[in-house]
Amino acid sequence: RTEKHPVVEYLRQEGITFSTFDHVYEEELGFQEVYARIARAVLQEARHKPVLYAVPGHPLVAEESVRLIIAKAGQEGLKVEILPAVSFLDSLFTALRLDPTAGLQIVDGLRIEETPPALSGAVVITQVHSRLVASDVKLSLLKVYPPQHPVTVVRGAGIPDGERIETVPLFELDRLEWVDHLTSLYVPEAGVRYGISERGAYGGKKEDEEGAAEVEVIQVYEGNDDSCSCRFPLDPLVDIMARLRGAGGCPWDREQDHRSLRPYLIEEAYEVVEAISEGDMYKICEELGDLLLQIVFHAQIAAESRHFDINNVVAGITEKMIRRHPHVFASVKVQDSRDVISVWEKIKAVERKEDHPQSLLAGVPKFLSPMLRAMKLQKKAATIGFDWPDHRGGLEKTREELSELEAAISGGDPVQVEKELGDLIFSVINLARLLGVEPESALLGTSEKFIRRFKFIEKMARVAGRELRECTLPELDKWWEKAKKIEKKQKNIRKRFLIRRNCKNFRE
């Protein structure tokens, strides 16, 4: 099958002549096409004369071309004799000191999507021929294993001076440059669960608070604790969404795609913000569930086209959060939140691997709400010192923009009015940032206050037996001011109640 094997030089020294199929690997698009073509060529020759088809190791272990030859030969009535040899698995078991009778799955790395490993035992993954295959294997394993799950990479098992064994976190699997056609992978049982400790993450150590000792930064959870019963507790929701999108599911759900769902994603996010503003924990929980549904919905659509699934989403953000918090999970030191932001931005710049300078503002998404985007742009600019020393500068700038708006209104140019109004809004958002106020939350609170007072106006109109459209503006203003007074009175009552309650608690 191939001359890329340590024993081939010995065959040449013994004067054994042979031809190989190495050129087929260069001419076909994938391994399945390679193996099918090899099988056809061997059978073609075997119809005329005996053929010895030699493969590395045992012919019945991880040799797809042999399986195809045996199947086709049986259909054509051709005789097949199998000459057994030592399997690479024997060398692998020796190198890793494994007892396969303790429970071991053997999975073909080239067909891992078709036959993924179960979590109920250790796994050996064969035919990890290259970093590209290693990348595919990693992505498949991340669906069921955490990114930091240890895996052992074995190259050239049993070959003198050629054997190499290294254990790495799963997410680093395809970063090993020495992976080649002699490489296999050992994945230990997932029954041992790895978590992040309070002081760190996998693969490193960190001093404790007093700096007196080094502590391992991996916690290991064993046993059948219910809290560790599944990798991600999203499985029931994922299964429901798959059912809704599947045959016999919901027609509306099946019609949706990423673009059609955009309004619902934005709407659910705002409803979470509204619940937070109201301080209603039950509603926050409910709205977070609605928002999570949108995430699972998008992941299911992507899974159907084999791009990614919810496990990739969770694994990816888990790895990113660990990578972007070296002050928590590694040895980087920070003094305050400003240092944290600086470290975060540096890590993001490295991740982008920019070949040319990019604007500091380039990372602010265009599809944010205009107010939130303005806030983020201002925060970005402030990181390099382009900012007022305090809120007084922002307040003065707001007054300046208000004067320019008044001048534009006097000029009667609607285009200039729009421009100046935009400048004023931008300056007000900047003032909010300098005051430590979230402008969207502030505006949301004002909108809710407007709703309360307007409902009071509607109530007063009904009491008066009048339609709102029939009421004069002075009447509406009078009811509006009454609503303000009632709110103020209620606020004072609540304040006095809290004072009395606190005094009582103090005396007790």
Side-chain angles (χ1 to χ4, degrees), residues 369-383:
S369 69
M371 185 177 291
L372 184 56
R373 187 165 187 247
M375 185 81 159
K376 285 189 172 291
L377 290 171
Q378 293 163 359
K379 285 183 177 180
K380 283 276 191 178
T383 61

Side-chain angles (χ1 to χ4, degrees), residues 133-177:
V133 176
S135 179
D136 290 340
V137 169
K138 179 186 80 170
L139 292 175
S140 294
L141 293 180
L142 282 173
K143 296 177 181 179
V144 289
Y145 297 93
Q148 65 268 30
H149 190 71
V151 296
T152 300
V153 187
V154 183
R155 179 201 175 277
I159 300 175
D161 301 324
E163 182 179 274
R164 183 168 182 175
I165 302 175
E166 186 172 340
T167 299
V168 298
L170 174 57
F171 76 91
E172 291 186 1
L173 174 58
D174 54 353
R175 301 180 187 178
L176 301 178
E177 298 181 354

